[in-house]
Amino acid sequence: MPLIEFECNACKNRFEELIYRTEELSTVKCPGCRQLDVIRLPSTFGLCSGGTFSGNIGQSCSGCAKTSCASCSK
């Protein structure tokens, strides 16, 4: 059940919807103006390891020179 980000072409409102099935993508309405004219935005994700949040995948976190959190001991 992914949380998908959208932007309304009519009012430029950005919002998220929890989508259970792919068929639901064509029925997503803007919560602001209720228009169906929305586009799906590319989503990013972050991860938390040892209490430190990192949303920059492929870059090192603060105080760490590694490029993968899988090999990090923090």
Side-chain angles (χ1 to χ4, degrees):
M1 294 180 285
L3 191 60
I4 299 177
E5 298 173 66
F6 294 92
E7 182 176 71
C8 178
N9 284 322
C11 70
K12 302 301 181 199
N13 182 32
R14 286 186 171 209
F15 60 97
E16 298 174 335
E17 287 286 326
L18 186 61
I19 302 295
Y20 296 98
R21 295 180 306 262
T22 338
E23 299 84 42
E24 295 175 355
L25 289 171
S26 62
T27 61
V28 173
K29 288 183 181 179
C30 173
C33 68
R34 306 300 296 162
Q35 296 291 317
L36 286 169
D37 188 16
V38 299
I39 57 169
R40 185 176 174 177
L41 298 175
S43 295
T44 60
F45 66 92
L47 54 99
C48 184
S49 174
T52 304
F53 176 79
S54 177
N56 299 322
I57 304 304
Q59 298 178 6
S60 62
C61 57
S62 61
C64 182
K66 299 187 184 301
T67 57
S68 170
C69 289
S71 61
C72 188
S73 60
K74 289 185 180 183

